[in-house]
Amino acid sequence: MFIKSLLLLLSGGRYSSAFHLATSGYRHPSSSLSSYLESLQSSPANGMNNFVPSAEPLQEVVNNNNNNIYHAPLEYFSFDNLESKGPRATCDWGTPQDWSRKLAEDGIFRSGAWYCTPGGWPSPNGKAVTEVFYMLEGHGCLSDADGMRHYFGPGDMVTIPKGHTGRWDVNSPILKVWAVNAHSNVEERSSPIRVKVDHYNTFVSSQSSSSSDPLYRSTVDIGSSSNILYDVGSTKVGYWSCSNTGSFPVSYGTRQWFHVLKGVLFVTTSGGTSRRCIAGDTVMLPAGWSGFIDVVEPTEKVFCAAAA
């Protein structure tokens, strides 16, 4: 009964269900769609159920220099703000249609959001970029070239390496925020190239502290913890948290995208540009940026960093 009610909920709305599912703590490992849905009954909340959208104005920036902060509160990617891409011509079941909106791009790295209705289609051509996304709404499955399936849902981080082939199946309407790294060569050495799905409960429980921060090199003044989920070639994907409040300098920041899961922080560049970032916000920072990070409340975020 729970599963049937959940599926009805997921298929009955667009963005309203994205807000509900992204903030109500559905975090779950699984090996099949049925067990994946069953696990929702016992998944603990992750602290995001007090989510409050940012009150800052929407900003769309496409120019690139190291004093810019590309910032979008969650409402920037609401359904009414997305652009229709029309139906997918290659689908073999359902009637999948795409909507999307870009946040920013610099020629190598870009980010945005994507919404899709149920359906499936093959992906026989090698993926041209490495894509990372965080699931806000819906359930789907990515299959590898040999048929291995990878189910995912709200709270999951998914990495599709460059060169991947297989298929997409959208089981209930999906809303995701994404980043792609357009590096030159296929960097995975596995055959076939596999999708990687990381579940919130797993990557939070296995984080560790280190003197070398994967995003900011050093946070020695206040300390931080992280968990690297994927680190191949020029793409690094992970989870970052800071349980203390305070400020630390960034002398040469890596090109990065992050989505805030919990807390409040300010990002300030050396040029004086500053943004308040709260749960639900998505941020992209250019290569070589410098300035300060001010953690106002204990913060959690997922990220993707791309080497210059």
Side-chain angles (χ1 to χ4, degrees), residues 129-152:
V129 297
T130 292
E131 178 183 359
V132 177
F133 60 86
Y134 179 77
M135 285 288 294
L136 296 174
E137 171 187 359
H139 293 86
C141 177
L142 279 158
S143 301
D144 301 329
D146 61 356
M148 179 177 286
R149 298 176 180 178
H150 308 271
Y151 294 106
F152 52 85

Side-chain angles (χ1 to χ4, degrees), residues 33-285:
L33 183 57
S34 59
S35 63
Y36 188 82
L37 293 174
E38 290 288 355
S39 69
L40 300 184
Q41 299 180 75
S42 58
S43 293
N46 73 338
M48 291 179 63
N49 47 341
N50 294 320
F51 181 95
V52 178
S54 170
E56 295 183 14
L58 304 184
Q59 300 187 25
E60 185 168 17
V61 283
V62 294
N63 55 315
N64 177 45
N65 63 62
N66 60 11
N67 286 323
N68 280 340
I69 299 173
Y70 311 95
H71 168 263
L74 187 58
E75 60 265 31
Y76 183 88
F77 298 126
S78 68
F79 185 80
D80 289 342
N81 288 327
L82 303 181
E83 178 184 354
S84 175
K85 301 297 183 182
R88 285 199 165 257
T90 60
C91 69
D92 51 24
W93 73 271
T95 55
Q97 298 188 52
D98 302 55
W99 287 259
S100 66
R101 188 177 189 183
K102 183 176 68 178
L103 172 60
E105 65 176 310
D106 65 8
I108 297 175
F109 209 44
R110 65 182 185 270
S111 63
W114 182 76
Y115 180 93
C116 188
T117 56
W121 59 92
S123 298
N125 300 319
K127 191 169 181 65
V129 297
T130 292
E131 178 183 359
V132 177
F133 60 86
Y134 179 77
M135 285 288 294
L136 296 174
E137 171 187 359
H139 293 86
C141 177
L142 279 158
S143 301
D144 301 329
D146 61 356
M148 179 177 286
R149 298 176 180 178
H150 308 271
Y151 294 106
F152 52 85
D156 291 344
M157 278 287 280
V158 182
T159 303
I160 313 175
K162 179 170 181 169
H164 178 268
T165 60
R167 67 173 287 116
W168 261 93
D169 290 287
V170 177
N171 301 108
S172 61
I174 281 176
L175 178 64
K176 66 181 186 180
V177 287
W178 53 263
V180 299
N181 181 13
H183 49 86
S184 299
N185 302 311
V186 173
E187 296 172 332
E188 280 281 354
R189 295 293 177 261
S190 63
S191 181
I193 294 175
R194 298 209 181 279
V195 165
K196 190 171 191 294
V197 177
D198 291 282
H199 309 289
Y200 178 86
N201 282 344
T202 302
F203 59 71
V204 169
S205 63
S206 56
Q207 63 180 307
S208 61
S209 301
S210 173
S211 59
S212 178
D213 187 275
L215 288 178
Y216 308 115
R217 300 194 178 183
S218 175
T219 58
V220 65
D221 294 339
I222 60 173
S224 64
S225 299
S226 60
N227 183 3
I228 302 303
L229 308 176
Y230 180 87
D231 189 1
V232 177
S234 60
T235 307
K236 182 176 292 185
V237 179
Y239 163 84
W240 185 94
S241 69
C242 183
S243 59
N244 301 312
T245 60
S247 176
F248 58 88
V250 180
S251 58
Y252 190 84
T254 184
R255 175 190 281 114
Q256 65 185 261
W257 163 95
F258 64 80
H259 181 78
V260 182
L261 304 180
K262 178 181 178 181
V264 180
L265 60 83
F266 281 82
V267 179
T268 304
T269 69
S270 57
T273 302
S274 183
R275 291 289 180 269
R276 178 177 179 265
C277 306
I278 68 171
D281 289 2
T282 302
V283 177
M284 181 171 145
L285 297 170

